[in-house]
Amino acid sequence: TSLPTPDTATVRSVQKTAVAQGAPGALTRIDEGTTSYRIVTGEADTGNHTKMDSGRRFRVGSVSKTFTAVVLMQLAAEGRVDLDAPANNYLSKSLPDDRITVRHLLSHRSGLYDYTNDMFYYTVPGFEAVRNKVFTYQDLIDLSTARPLNNAPGAAYRYSNTNFVVLGQLIENITGTPMATHYQQRIFGPLRLRSTAYVHPQTTISGSFARGYLRQDDTTLPLVDSTEQTVSWGQSAGAVISNAVDLNRFFSSLVSGKLLPAEHLKQMMTMVPVTADGSQSYGLGLRARKLSCGTTVYGHTGTVQGYYTYAFTTADGTRSMTSLANTSNNGTVNTTLGATLEATFCGDTST
Ligand SMILES: C[C@@H](NC(=O)[C@@H](C)NC(=O)CCCC[C@H](NC(=O)C[NH3+])C(=O)[O-])C(=O)O
């Protein structure tokens, strides 16, 4: 299917708006076969006024969930896990409800409470309290199960980081191999994602990277440099580090069948609407968005202190886009940045 030419002028104006709304900088990279478009605005480091550039690495937040889902689906394809079995079959310490299946975890239908609601209720104090902490998966799961389930297993979609922390623990329990090894051997290596890494609990980002700046709840106060942290509160739900070209290659490779057999990819991409207008849906560790021009794109968003990410591709992987703004706790910027999807995949709709 031939898509309209990406509207890079609108991408640029969207980025300028995001900067005007408080982001120090933004980047967008669009890949289509051998053609790439790179648009950047503002600064990667406000301390020495280093300009943003599109090759910089950053924390991808929940885009990590898609990487974790791919590992899980490969194990399912290898016959080592049954998606419809109780997750408790694979866990050393049981979840409070045997009805929670592996598929419920992948599709955010388990009902498990999201511990980050309490952890980050107060944004900067919450962040400062955990930025150098190292949690076990069980520490985080125990924070969640201290609260009642949001819903009966399978009864509703309710986004929860807990689901993908449980999946990290489950994968390590089944295989005896750390998530970092699975990511590297099953995804980063085969796809040559040379700027992508899982270095938990290391707090620093190596190579060329964008610094991240967290907005305070009192927005009159200056941004907090949140670049260095363990992201141990996120791990298999949010601790991957990558860059735009790698995320574009990851999502286009995923949907074009390079990581999973057809049946398992199909299950991952089988979407359930999560918004009333049906424009947003969730599959297994994967988001889909139906854009105004009728094109549906597949990928994930990410929010981690100092970094907003959108990483999406077309159903056939021919065009991929990754956008980053290096701030967070700023919903206006997050919404604005999302407009790079329309500009990229629907082209110039102003005429
Ligand atoms: C939404 C996004 N989810 C993720 O990326 C996961 C890993 N991030 C979160 O759950 C946000 C944690 C708080 C961030 C903090 N907010 C606060 O502290 C608010 N009090 C911040 O904005 O940096 C997704 O799936 O698309």
XYZ file of all heavy atoms in Angstrom, residues 167-240:
571
model
N 5.572 -11.101 34.080
C 6.053 -11.841 32.902
C 7.572 -11.978 32.920
O 8.114 -13.027 32.556
C 5.579 -11.154 31.619
C 4.092 -11.353 31.309
C 3.640 -10.415 30.193
C 3.805 -12.808 30.934
N 8.282 -10.957 33.390
C 9.746 -11.069 33.504
C 10.127 -12.171 34.477
O 10.987 -13.025 34.179
N 9.441 -12.195 35.622
C 9.718 -13.236 36.626
C 9.368 -14.616 36.075
O 10.129 -15.584 36.223
C 8.898 -12.969 37.888
C 9.216 -13.925 39.041
C 8.298 -13.744 40.222
O 7.072 -13.934 40.095
N 8.847 -13.359 41.363
N 8.243 -14.685 35.354
C 7.770 -15.969 34.798
C 8.765 -16.506 33.768
O 9.142 -17.698 33.795
C 6.399 -15.716 34.172
C 5.600 -16.887 33.616
C 4.106 -16.646 33.805
C 5.879 -17.074 32.141
N 9.249 -15.644 32.896
C 10.216 -16.054 31.858
C 11.509 -16.553 32.510
O 12.049 -17.606 32.126
C 10.506 -14.882 30.902
C 9.296 -14.614 29.995
C 11.755 -15.157 30.052
C 9.346 -13.273 29.257
N 11.985 -15.854 33.530
C 13.221 -16.275 34.197
C 13.008 -17.573 34.959
O 13.887 -18.439 34.999
C 13.739 -15.147 35.105
C 14.199 -13.915 34.334
C 14.989 -12.913 35.160
O 15.222 -13.153 36.367
O 15.371 -11.857 34.591
N 11.787 -17.749 35.525
C 11.472 -18.982 36.255
C 11.467 -20.187 35.315
O 12.016 -21.246 35.627
C 10.077 -18.841 36.893
C 10.142 -18.917 38.411
O 11.192 -18.649 38.999
N 9.040 -19.302 39.005
N 10.870 -19.999 34.147
C 10.746 -21.122 33.192
C 12.113 -21.504 32.621
O 12.425 -22.687 32.453
C 9.811 -20.723 32.024
C 8.359 -20.616 32.495
C 9.886 -21.730 30.877
C 7.418 -20.100 31.425
N 12.929 -20.483 32.335
C 14.151 -20.762 31.560
C 15.417 -20.791 32.412
O 16.439 -21.326 31.973
C 14.354 -19.654 30.502
O 14.516 -18.399 31.185
C 13.157 -19.569 29.564
N 15.375 -20.156 33.593
C 16.600 -20.049 34.396
C 17.597 -19.080 33.783
O 18.757 -19.017 34.184
N 17.141 -18.310 32.799
C 18.011 -17.351 32.098
C 17.508 -15.928 32.345
O 16.302 -15.696 32.276
C 17.974 -17.654 30.574
O 18.344 -19.017 30.380
C 18.895 -16.741 29.798
N 18.428 -14.984 32.612
C 17.994 -13.608 32.889
C 17.376 -12.940 31.652
O 17.770 -13.251 30.514
C 19.292 -12.881 33.267
C 20.314 -13.928 33.471
C 19.877 -15.143 32.739
N 16.482 -11.999 31.885
C 15.833 -11.277 30.781
C 16.873 -10.631 29.874
O 16.730 -10.639 28.660
C 14.882 -10.190 31.321
C 13.536 -10.710 31.774
S 12.693 -11.799 30.616
C 12.349 -10.655 29.275
N 17.936 -10.079 30.457
C 18.956 -9.401 29.646
C 19.498 -10.338 28.569
O 19.707 -9.927 27.413
C 20.091 -8.900 30.541
N 19.682 -11.603 28.930
C 20.205 -12.588 27.961
C 19.169 -12.899 26.887
O 19.479 -12.960 25.698
C 20.609 -13.886 28.694
O 21.504 -13.554 29.760
C 21.274 -14.877 27.754
N 17.922 -13.049 27.313
C 16.857 -13.305 26.322
C 16.754 -12.148 25.321
O 16.705 -12.358 24.109
C 15.502 -13.468 27.028
C 15.339 -14.757 27.751
N 15.318 -15.976 27.115
C 15.173 -15.017 29.064
C 15.153 -16.946 28.005
N 15.053 -16.383 29.206
N 16.731 -10.920 25.831
C 16.629 -9.762 24.939
C 17.778 -9.781 23.927
O 17.580 -9.602 22.727
C 16.691 -8.456 25.725
C 15.515 -8.121 26.613
C 15.738 -7.593 27.890
C 14.196 -8.287 26.206
C 14.677 -7.238 28.724
C 13.131 -7.945 27.038
C 13.385 -7.421 28.294
O 12.341 -7.081 29.129
N 18.993 -10.008 24.445
C 20.184 -9.928 23.581
C 20.193 -11.049 22.546
O 20.355 -10.810 21.344
C 21.458 -9.990 24.440
C 22.766 -9.875 23.653
C 22.862 -8.588 22.855
O 22.492 -7.512 23.339
N 23.315 -8.695 21.611
N 19.949 -12.283 23.012
C 20.092 -13.441 22.124
C 18.923 -13.606 21.155
O 19.100 -14.104 20.045
C 20.281 -14.712 22.947
C 21.617 -14.737 23.681
C 21.880 -16.032 24.426
O 20.984 -16.875 24.595
N 23.108 -16.205 24.880
N 17.750 -13.178 21.590
C 16.554 -13.420 20.780
C 16.157 -12.220 19.919
O 15.443 -12.382 18.922
C 15.363 -13.777 21.694
C 15.520 -15.104 22.435
C 14.428 -15.279 23.481
N 14.500 -16.599 24.124
C 13.909 -17.698 23.640
N 13.219 -17.640 22.515
N 14.011 -18.854 24.267
N 16.616 -10.995 20.312
C 16.136 -9.797 19.598
C 17.295 -8.867 19.211
O 17.541 -8.648 18.025
C 15.103 -9.013 20.433
C 13.951 -9.926 20.895
C 14.538 -7.847 19.604
C 12.980 -9.280 21.869
N 18.003 -8.323 20.193
C 19.025 -7.315 19.899
C 20.085 -7.855 18.944
O 20.444 -7.194 17.981
C 19.730 -6.835 21.179
C 18.855 -6.294 22.283
C 19.393 -6.090 23.553
C 17.514 -5.988 22.089
C 18.604 -5.598 24.596
C 16.720 -5.505 23.122
C 17.275 -5.319 24.380
N 20.561 -9.065 19.189
C 21.611 -9.639 18.348
C 21.119 -9.946 16.938
O 21.637 -9.371 15.975
N 20.087 -10.789 16.830
C 19.621 -11.174 15.472
C 19.225 -9.974 14.607
O 19.470 -9.948 13.418
C 18.408 -12.051 15.777
C 18.659 -12.623 17.129
C 19.415 -11.569 17.883
N 18.649 -8.922 15.209
C 18.242 -7.747 14.423
C 19.353 -6.704 14.355
O 19.170 -5.625 13.781
C 16.975 -7.112 15.030
C 15.695 -7.955 15.038
C 14.521 -7.099 15.533
C 15.383 -8.526 13.668
N 20.497 -6.980 14.981
C 21.641 -6.037 14.996
C 21.208 -4.681 15.533
O 21.491 -3.626 14.944
C 22.259 -5.910 13.608
C 22.904 -7.196 13.092
C 23.590 -7.006 11.755
N 22.775 -6.243 10.807
C 21.664 -6.704 10.218
N 21.241 -7.939 10.515
N 20.976 -5.976 9.389
N 20.504 -4.708 16.663
C 20.084 -3.449 17.311
C 21.250 -2.988 18.181
O 21.267 -3.184 19.397
C 18.811 -3.676 18.133
C 17.615 -4.265 17.379
C 16.408 -4.416 18.304
C 17.257 -3.451 16.150
N 22.243 -2.389 17.550
C 23.516 -2.109 18.217
C 23.404 -1.004 19.268
O 24.254 -0.879 20.131
C 24.592 -1.734 17.185
C 25.043 -2.920 16.333
C 26.251 -2.600 15.450
N 26.768 -3.721 14.669
C 26.065 -4.467 13.865
N 24.799 -4.240 13.725
N 26.608 -5.477 13.183
N 22.358 -0.203 19.208
C 22.201 0.872 20.205
C 21.168 0.521 21.263
O 20.754 1.396 22.032
C 21.792 2.175 19.489
O 22.812 2.575 18.610
N 20.747 -0.743 21.297
C 19.716 -1.177 22.230
C 20.332 -2.080 23.286
O 21.165 -2.949 22.963
C 18.597 -1.915 21.477
O 18.116 -1.082 20.420
C 17.433 -2.255 22.410
N 19.958 -1.838 24.547
C 20.567 -2.616 25.637
C 19.618 -2.681 26.818
O 18.716 -1.834 26.970
C 21.883 -1.970 26.074
N 19.859 -3.696 27.651
C 19.149 -3.844 28.930
C 20.237 -3.963 29.983
O 20.867 -5.016 30.090
C 18.256 -5.088 28.917
C 17.401 -5.224 30.154
C 16.219 -4.507 30.282
C 17.786 -6.055 31.211
C 15.432 -4.628 31.419
C 17.007 -6.171 32.357
C 15.829 -5.455 32.449
O 15.052 -5.574 33.571
N 20.514 -2.862 30.684
C 21.677 -2.816 31.574
C 21.254 -2.703 33.039
O 22.090 -2.415 33.900
C 22.622 -1.646 31.196
C 23.217 -1.879 29.814
C 21.880 -0.313 31.263
N 19.943 -2.951 33.318
C 19.467 -2.899 34.713
C 20.404 -3.718 35.610
O 20.786 -4.819 35.236
C 18.054 -3.491 34.774
C 17.544 -3.705 36.159
N 17.692 -4.898 36.836
C 16.942 -2.873 37.017
C 17.175 -4.787 38.048
N 16.717 -3.568 38.186
N 20.833 -3.222 36.775
C 20.434 -1.975 37.438
C 21.415 -0.814 37.249
O 21.386 0.147 38.004
C 20.399 -2.379 38.899
C 21.529 -3.364 39.024
C 21.599 -4.099 37.716
N 22.279 -0.885 36.186
C 23.208 0.244 35.937
C 22.405 1.518 35.761
O 21.376 1.519 35.074
C 24.020 -0.084 34.681
C 25.003 0.977 34.216
C 25.618 0.598 32.879
O 26.111 -0.538 32.720
N 25.552 1.492 31.924
N 22.865 2.637 36.331
C 22.069 3.872 36.278
C 22.455 4.770 35.107
O 21.731 5.701 34.769
C 22.266 4.695 37.572
O 23.666 4.999 37.694
C 21.797 3.926 38.794
N 23.609 4.500 34.468
C 24.084 5.421 33.425
C 23.734 4.885 32.045
O 23.523 3.684 31.865
C 25.620 5.560 33.507
O 26.182 4.240 33.491
C 26.028 6.288 34.785
N 23.718 5.802 31.083
C 23.445 5.462 29.687
C 24.752 5.665 28.925
O 25.329 6.774 29.001
C 22.345 6.367 29.086
C 21.080 6.350 29.959
C 22.015 5.934 27.646
C 19.993 7.324 29.508
N 25.232 4.658 28.221
C 26.536 4.778 27.540
C 26.360 5.377 26.142
O 25.238 5.478 25.628
C 27.189 3.390 27.424
O 26.370 2.567 26.607
N 27.469 5.796 25.560
C 27.465 6.311 24.187
C 26.839 7.690 24.101
O 26.877 8.474 25.058
N 26.232 7.975 22.962
C 25.592 9.267 22.731
C 24.118 9.161 23.121
O 23.396 8.320 22.600
C 25.687 9.641 21.240
O 24.853 10.752 20.975
N 23.692 9.963 24.096
C 22.320 9.842 24.595
C 21.744 11.212 24.874
O 22.467 12.202 25.019
C 22.288 8.971 25.862
C 23.109 9.515 27.000
C 22.549 10.376 27.928
C 24.461 9.187 27.117
C 23.316 10.893 28.972
C 25.233 9.697 28.146
C 24.666 10.559 29.076
N 20.414 11.261 24.955
C 19.703 12.473 25.359
C 19.527 12.440 26.864
O 19.174 11.392 27.427
C 18.343 12.532 24.671
N 19.771 13.536 27.550
C 19.465 13.603 28.970
C 17.957 13.767 29.097
O 17.299 14.293 28.187
C 20.204 14.758 29.657
C 21.727 14.625 29.562
C 22.440 15.484 30.589
N 22.244 14.958 31.956
C 22.940 13.936 32.461
N 23.856 13.315 31.724
N 22.710 13.510 33.686
N 17.381 13.264 30.192
C 15.940 13.347 30.437
C 15.646 14.313 31.572
O 16.395 14.374 32.542
N 14.542 15.059 31.417
C 14.217 16.115 32.377
C 12.781 15.974 32.844
O 11.846 16.092 32.063
C 14.457 17.490 31.740
C 15.910 17.688 31.326
C 16.339 17.413 30.033
C 16.858 18.106 32.259
C 17.667 17.559 29.668
C 18.195 18.266 31.903
C 18.594 17.983 30.611
O 19.923 18.124 30.255
N 12.629 15.708 34.131
C 11.328 15.430 34.746
C 10.714 16.733 35.249
O 11.375 17.505 35.971
C 11.529 14.465 35.927
C 10.328 14.073 36.767
C 9.255 13.379 35.944
C 10.786 13.180 37.933
N 9.447 16.975 34.835
C 8.770 18.190 35.314
C 8.216 17.937 36.712
O 7.752 16.835 37.022
C 7.622 18.572 34.370
C 7.112 19.986 34.635
C 6.098 20.477 33.647
N 4.804 19.799 33.798
C 3.666 20.293 33.300
N 3.677 21.417 32.605
N 2.535 19.636 33.456
N 8.317 18.932 37.556
C 7.831 18.799 38.929
C 6.314 18.976 38.952
O 5.745 19.595 38.057
C 8.499 19.855 39.816
C 10.023 19.852 39.706
C 10.709 20.117 41.023
O 10.226 19.749 42.093
N 11.881 20.754 40.934
N 5.658 18.460 39.966
C 4.211 18.650 40.106
C 3.895 20.138 40.271
O 2.886 20.631 39.777
C 3.668 17.845 41.290
C 3.721 16.340 41.009
O 3.677 15.966 39.818
O 3.828 15.549 41.969
N 4.780 20.866 40.964
C 4.675 22.333 40.998
C 5.418 22.833 39.768
O 6.650 22.937 39.761
C 5.310 22.888 42.274
C 5.341 24.425 42.268
O 5.018 25.015 41.204
O 5.697 25.026 43.296
N 4.667 23.122 38.723
C 5.277 23.358 37.402
C 6.057 24.674 37.349
O 6.711 24.977 36.371
C 4.198 23.381 36.306
O 3.259 24.419 36.647
C 3.469 22.046 36.232
N 5.964 25.472 38.442
C 6.752 26.721 38.452
C 8.211 26.419 38.829
O 9.077 27.270 38.688
C 6.179 27.729 39.483
O 6.388 27.184 40.802
C 4.695 27.961 39.258
N 8.455 25.198 39.305
C 9.813 24.831 39.720
C 10.597 24.309 38.515
O 10.000 23.849 37.551
C 9.753 23.755 40.824
C 9.123 24.213 42.145
C 9.003 23.036 43.112
C 9.942 25.338 42.768
N 11.916 24.381 38.574
C 12.716 23.939 37.413
C 12.612 22.436 37.195
O 12.294 21.680 38.122
C 14.152 24.330 37.784
C 14.148 24.623 39.234
C 12.772 24.954 39.649
N 12.908 22.010 35.954
C 12.922 20.582 35.612
C 14.026 19.896 36.418
O 15.041 20.518 36.777
C 13.186 20.400 34.111
C 12.161 21.024 33.146
C 12.575 20.747 31.694
C 10.752 20.517 33.396
N 13.828 18.611 36.704
C 14.818 17.799 37.426
C 15.494 16.860 36.434
O 14.817 16.147 35.702
C 14.112 16.969 38.537
C 15.061 15.956 39.151
C 13.536 17.900 39.592
N 16.832 16.884 36.407
C 17.562 15.970 35.512
C 17.392 14.547 36.047
O 17.903 14.205 37.116
C 19.051 16.349 35.468
C 19.810 15.527 34.421
O 19.429 14.357 34.185
O 20.767 16.051 33.822
N 16.657 13.716 35.300
C 16.314 12.355 35.773
C 17.006 11.282 34.930
O 16.590 10.125 34.931
C 14.791 12.165 35.676
O 14.354 12.455 34.352
N 18.081 11.680 34.254
C 18.745 10.769 33.320
C 19.262 9.499 33.993
O 19.037 8.388 33.508
C 19.936 11.491 32.655
O 19.485 12.750 32.153
C 20.532 10.642 31.547
N 19.959 9.673 35.108
C 20.556 8.503 35.781
C 19.559 7.887 36.761
O 19.118 8.548 37.691
C 21.832 8.896 36.545
C 23.068 9.062 35.659
C 23.093 10.392 34.909
O 22.532 11.358 35.443
O 23.639 10.450 33.788
N 19.169 6.660 36.503
C 18.351 5.899 37.441
C 18.464 4.413 37.083
O 18.834 4.068 35.965
C 16.880 6.340 37.435
C 16.100 6.058 36.171
C 14.595 6.006 36.430
O 14.130 5.282 37.332
N 13.821 6.746 35.641
N 18.121 3.551 38.008
C 18.191 2.105 37.746
C 17.030 1.633 36.884
O 17.128 0.627 36.201
C 18.094 1.330 39.082
O 16.833 1.660 39.709
C 19.249 1.663 40.010
N 15.884 2.362 36.947
C 14.586 1.918 36.395
C 14.273 0.505 36.916
O 13.612 -0.301 36.253
C 14.510 1.947 34.849
C 13.024 1.949 34.399
C 15.199 3.163 34.270
N 14.713 0.242 38.144
C 14.437 -1.069 38.734
C 12.954 -1.204 39.072
O 12.415 -2.297 39.130
C 15.277 -1.273 39.999
O 15.363 -2.643 40.317
N 12.287 -0.075 39.183
C 10.819 -0.096 39.394
C 10.089 -0.578 38.148
O 8.910 -0.910 38.205
C 10.308 1.298 39.785
C 10.541 2.357 38.741
C 11.600 3.226 38.665
C 9.711 2.647 37.601
N 11.479 4.028 37.556
C 10.333 3.701 36.889
C 8.508 2.132 37.129
C 9.785 4.246 35.714
C 7.950 2.674 35.968
C 8.592 3.712 35.276
N 10.835 -0.603 37.004
C 10.193 -0.976 35.745
C 10.694 -2.300 35.190
O 9.903 -3.158 34.829
N 12.030 -2.477 35.105
C 12.659 -3.741 34.644
C 12.015 -4.229 33.330
O 11.983 -3.475 32.355
C 12.608 -4.791 35.761
C 13.540 -4.388 36.927
C 13.668 -5.417 38.009
O 14.112 -6.549 37.763
N 13.303 -5.061 39.236
N 11.423 -5.419 33.334
C 10.862 -6.000 32.095
C 9.599 -5.276 31.632
O 9.084 -5.554 30.551
C 10.537 -7.477 32.333
O 9.900 -7.642 33.604
N 9.163 -4.279 32.411
C 8.025 -3.437 32.012
C 8.481 -2.077 31.528
O 7.668 -1.297 31.013
C 7.071 -3.253 33.193
N 9.799 -1.743 31.668
C 10.175 -0.385 31.287
C 11.626 0.011 31.285
O 11.930 1.205 31.171
N 12.575 -0.922 31.319
C 13.971 -0.513 31.526
C 14.877 -0.634 30.303
O 16.091 -0.438 30.423
C 14.571 -1.311 32.677
N 14.351 -0.910 29.128
C 15.189 -1.004 27.919
C 15.663 0.389 27.496
O 14.952 1.385 27.674
C 14.421 -1.682 26.763
C 15.180 -1.589 25.442
C 14.143 -3.155 27.098
